[in-house]
């Protein structure tokens, strides 16, 4: 790769403006995260932010970048231990190490504590449902943990690739509710506001930032990934982005514009009350997590 166009040092990443060395690239990446935070008014002065911190590359970069930005906010990292054999133990060790190096308070909550079973035990007869069950229970676990630590928001490491994949997956599944849920999907006093500071940063840049700043260690892949629709969509969109750069941001921006044109009421999730079983907010008798657990237990 050519030299950094700002200082002439060896470049590590090519941006639209030109190639950048590790130092200038890191600054460029952090500026991108700061711009996303400002664009969507994600952080208010004095906020206490619960950072969903799996210990994987995206959430590790998220936590490090939030620390570097010196926000007027307090960070608490929360790792959800789903109970996935051969995978989660390693990532928890990495998470503990990173949180300690960054000097961030770190808490761990587990599916076992919340519902009495690990994800592996819940999925003994239906591993194909892994990501749907895992995602639903993890959302509930994070929401409950954030309430417990009195957080104002929950930050997750979803990057631009994840956001664009989700848009496409919602349409592939015909899931109109999720496809139109961005408006006030955080509405309701029991829900903690969700923020995604990496939502304008590509996965490629996120990984490069992690490598440049010695944040990443080799970790195993979740064994359930093979069942995930996201895996196919990720490959497909990755190929499109390579051949037609800008595809990911066009999908994300297109969805944002579409939602901005919708009458607000149609985009709102109706939160009518609490789940009869666990007390979490829901529009139904049982919340999505308890519905999943009823099917599986
Ligand atoms: Fe959970 Fe699926 Fe991610 Fe594995 S790949 S951690 S099962 S969402």
């Amino acid at each position: 790769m050519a030299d950094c166009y700002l200082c002439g040092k060896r470049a590590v990443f090519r941006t639209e403006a030109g190639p950048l060395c590790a130092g200038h690239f890191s600054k460029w990446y952090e500026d991108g995260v700061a711009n996303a935070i400002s664009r969507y008014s994600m952080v208010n002065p004095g906020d206490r932010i619960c950072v969903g911190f799996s210990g994987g590359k995206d959430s590790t970069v998220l936590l490090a970048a939030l620390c570097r930005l010196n926000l007027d906010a307090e960070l608490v990292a929360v790792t959800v231990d789903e109970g996935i054999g051969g995978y989660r133990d390693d990532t928890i060790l990495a998470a503990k190490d990173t949180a300690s190096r960054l000097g961030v308070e770190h808490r761990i909550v587990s599916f076992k504590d919340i519902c009495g079973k690990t994800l592996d035990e819940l999925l003994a007869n239906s591993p194909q449902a892994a990501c749907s069950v895992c995602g639903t229970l993890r959302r509930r676990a994070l929401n409950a943990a954030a309430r417990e630590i009195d957080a104002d928001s929950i930050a997750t490491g979803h990057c631009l690739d994840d956001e664009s994949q989700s848009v496409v997956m919602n349409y592939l599944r015909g899931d109109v509710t999720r496809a139109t849920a961005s408006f006030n999907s955080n509405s309701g006093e029991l829900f903690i506001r969700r923020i995604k500071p990496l939502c304008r940063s590509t996965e490629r840049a996120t990984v490069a930032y992690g490598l440049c700043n010695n944040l990443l260690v080799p970790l195993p892949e979740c064994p359930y990934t093979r069942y995930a629709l996201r895996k196919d969509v990720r490959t497909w969109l990755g190929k499109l982005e390579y051949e037609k750069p800008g595809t990911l941001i066009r999908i994300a921006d297109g969805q944002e514009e579409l939602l901005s044109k919708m009458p607000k009421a149609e985009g709102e999730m109706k939160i009518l009350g609490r789940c009869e079983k666990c007390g979490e907010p829901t529009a139904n008798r049982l919340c999505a997590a308890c519905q999943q657990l009823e099917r599986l237990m």
Side-chain angles (χ1 to χ4, degrees):
M1 192 178 288
D3 293 336
C4 174
Y5 82 99
L6 291 174
C7 70
K9 284 189 192 157
R10 190 174 67 85
V12 297
F13 194 89
R14 185 179 292 279
T15 64
E16 270 183 24
L20 292 174
C21 65
H24 282 114
F25 164 68
S26 294
K27 174 80 172 61
W28 173 86
Y29 184 87
E30 287 158 13
D31 285 349
V33 177
N35 287 340
I37 289 174
S38 157
R39 177 183 172 119
Y40 299 107
S41 306
M42 291 184 196
V43 180
N44 299 312
D47 268 0
R48 190 164 159 82
I49 305 174
C50 166
V51 182
F53 181 46
S54 70
K57 59 181 174 11
D58 293 346
S59 63
T60 296
V61 166
L62 170 68
L63 192 63
L66 290 179
C67 286
R68 288 258 180 100
L69 288 178
N70 282 323
L71 301 166
D72 178 11
E74 193 182 348
L75 306 176
V76 180
V78 174
T79 301
V80 179
D81 177 2
E82 305 91 345
I84 303 174
Y87 166 66
R88 188 45 89 200
D89 287 352
D90 286 1
T91 60
I92 286 178
L93 283 179
K96 279 183 182 167
D97 182 54
T98 304
S100 140
R101 274 193 290 136
L102 293 170
V104 175
E105 180 185 340
H106 183 215
R107 298 187 181 205
I108 300 173
V109 294
S110 72
F111 282 8
K112 186 93 177 172
D113 289 343
I114 291 166
C115 64
K117 290 197 175 189
T118 64
L119 187 67
D120 286 343
E121 289 165 349
L122 287 167
L123 295 171
N125 298 318
S126 49
Q128 301 83 349
C131 294
S132 162
V133 175
C134 179
T136 305
L137 294 182
R138 186 156 6 97
R139 266 191 298 280
R140 184 171 99 178
L142 265 183
N143 204 41
R147 266 206 315 273
E148 200 174 309
I149 61 176
D150 203 20
D152 299 287
S153 61
I154 298 174
T156 59
H158 294 92
C159 64
L160 175 62
D161 300 51
D162 299 315
E163 292 301 283
S164 301
Q165 289 157 14
S166 294
V167 171
V168 172
M169 284 164 63
N170 287 335
Y171 285 103
L172 290 177
R173 289 186 179 124
D175 191 336
V176 177
T177 306
R178 285 202 183 182
T180 57
S182 287
F183 274 125
N184 294 333
S185 57
N186 300 306
S187 63
E189 61 184 24
L190 292 174
F191 271 122
I192 315 282
R193 192 161 47 91
R194 299 238 162 198
I195 60 173
K196 300 173 185 174
L198 308 187
C199 66
R200 310 285 294 178
S201 306
T202 62
E203 187 173 310
R204 207 175 130 256
T206 299
V207 171
Y209 180 88
L211 291 172
C212 282
N213 291 279
N214 295 319
L215 295 166
L216 306 185
V217 291
L219 289 171
E221 188 178 64
C222 173
Y224 296 111
T225 305
R226 66 180 182 277
Y227 299 113
L229 170 64
R230 185 175 290 274
K231 193 177 183 195
D232 296 327
V233 174
R234 180 185 183 185
T235 305
W236 180 53
L237 287 185
K239 185 168 178 286
L240 274 178
E241 176 70 20
Y242 180 74
E243 291 167 357
K244 297 177 174 50
T247 296
L248 295 173
I249 197 77
R250 284 194 292 275
I251 292 172
D253 283 350
Q255 174 74 358
E256 193 175 308
E257 194 179 338
L258 187 72
L259 291 173
S260 74
K261 292 185 189 314
M262 282 177 52
K264 201 171 176 188
E266 286 180 32
E268 285 181 356
M269 299 262 278
K270 296 183 182 65
I271 305 301
L272 302 177
R274 290 174 180 256
C275 170
E276 275 182 21
K277 268 198 162 170
C278 70
E280 284 292 310
T282 179
N284 303 304
R285 189 175 68 79
L286 295 181
C287 69
C290 286
Q291 287 178 38
Q292 295 266 29
L293 290 172
E294 270 207 349
R295 272 194 294 274
L296 293 165
M297 306 248 271

